[in-house]
Amino acid sequence: MTTGFLRVLAVDDEPPALDELAYHLRADPRVARLHTAGDATEALRLLRDGDVDVVFLDIRMPGLDGMELARVLRRFARPPAIVFVTAYDDGAVDAFDLGATDYVRKPVRADRLAESLRRVIGSRVVPSHPAALARAEEDPTIPIELAGTTRMLPRSAVRWVEAQGDYARLHTAEGSHLVRVSLATLAERWADAGFVRVHRSYLVQLKLIAELRLVNSGYVVVVDSTELPVSRRHTRELKDKLVRAAKQDWNR
């Protein structure tokens, strides 16, 4: 890669925040050209006049907000990468459903924006191969917060999910992570990926269930040596899914 090759657009309706974002982006040697816009209308005008590689985009703006603008950009013949820059964490899951490359929390830091640009470069070069695109679609990432930094957790790393109010705790082989999304939302979005509802508070990757066991109070499933309760209303459906999965494995 040579110095100064990225064409960047920064969009924020708050002038101080936009100035700070623009300052850090201009200081990065990988940025060749930077445009700024105070709202979605101005951003679309700039995008009409010339291509950009990445849009750094605030979410909460008057008129067309950042999520709505991102949906418009996805319909472009050559859509730019999207990096959301926001003071809130409640839009992270929706952002990555829209194919965002990164999700940065305000106040922005130079090192965090540098990491975003690195991800943009990787997404514009490596995933352009059809096989890489297919893998990305099959195994999307989930944004998680670790010590003030947003990291990408592959969905395939999630073993089971536990409801905690309006949040969900994602359990992996290495630990667990709390994300601001409801269990019902994940159950709907991840059904095609093999996740099944076994209880009002638990969502499990079907292929990882080692046992379905009858105990005094009812059934439990065992995942990674952990027993998770199965509610009566989900028992029959779960048994049917386990039988079908076993038959499919047997016939391979």
Side-chain angles (χ1 to χ4, degrees):
M1 293 292 182
T2 57
T3 299
F5 55 91
L6 285 175
R7 299 162 296 180
V8 181
L9 171 62
V11 187
D12 198 311
D13 66 305
E14 298 180 358
L18 183 59
D19 289 345
E20 182 182 19
L21 178 60
Y23 171 80
H24 289 304
L25 289 171
R26 287 193 181 99
D28 194 292
R30 293 165 293 188
V31 175
R33 187 172 74 234
L34 175 68
H35 297 288
T36 60
D39 56 34
T41 301
E42 185 180 2
L44 288 171
R45 180 183 60 79
L46 289 168
L47 289 164
R48 180 194 62 202
D49 295 338
D51 291 336
V52 301
D53 299 301
V54 54
V55 179
F56 283 80
L57 181 58
D58 187 24
I59 291 181
R60 299 192 181 181
M61 298 187 296
L64 201 68
D65 67 21
M67 291 292 181
E68 293 166 330
L69 178 56
R71 292 186 180 96
V72 173
L73 299 183
R74 287 189 67 185
R75 296 197 291 267
F76 280 27
R78 296 179 58 190
I82 299 292
V83 174
F84 285 103
V85 183
T86 176
Y88 307 94
D89 63 2
D90 56 357
V93 172
D94 288 336
F96 285 92
D97 277 350
L98 286 170
T101 302
D102 204 354
Y103 191 94
V104 178
R105 292 286 305 278
K106 294 178 181 178
V108 296
R109 306 191 317 269
D111 61 335
R112 186 64 182 85
L113 288 179
E115 170 65 14
S116 289
L117 290 171
R118 184 193 66 75
R119 293 177 182 174
V120 167
I121 293 167
S123 72
R124 306 303 278 181
V125 177
V126 178
S128 61
H129 190 282
L133 279 172
R135 286 194 298 271
E137 291 174 356
E138 291 170 1
D139 192 15
T141 55
I142 306 98
I144 59 172
E145 291 291 326
L146 291 174
T149 299
T150 304
R151 307 240 180 223
M152 305 303 115
L153 177 72
R155 183 176 62 189
S156 60
V158 179
R159 319 286 286 181
W160 51 282
V161 185
E162 179 182 6
Q164 293 192 349
D166 294 332
Y167 290 74
R169 183 166 293 280
L170 311 179
H171 291 265
T172 70
E174 289 75 33
S176 66
H177 310 280
L178 196 65
V179 294
R180 189 168 183 175
V181 61
S182 71
L183 191 73
T185 298
L186 289 182
E188 179 181 351
R189 293 178 179 176
W190 291 5
D192 292 341
F195 283 85
V196 295
R197 194 79 173 260
V198 299
H199 187 276
R200 66 179 182 178
S201 298
Y202 295 98
L203 184 67
V204 176
Q205 174 56 267
L206 184 70
K207 65 182 180 182
L208 299 179
I209 294 177
E211 293 181 37
L212 174 63
R213 181 189 304 159
L214 181 63
V215 295
N216 293 335
S217 57
Y219 282 94
V220 298
V221 291
V222 179
V223 179
D224 295 338
S225 301
T226 300
E227 292 186 355
L228 304 174
V230 179
S231 64
R232 184 173 300 174
R233 65 182 293 238
H234 290 102
T235 300
R236 172 54 60 189
E237 182 182 4
L238 177 61
K239 285 181 177 180
D240 290 343
K241 288 182 177 179
L242 287 170
V243 169
R244 287 198 299 270
K247 287 182 178 178
Q248 288 174 357
D249 290 340
W250 182 262
N251 292 327
R252 284 176 182 171

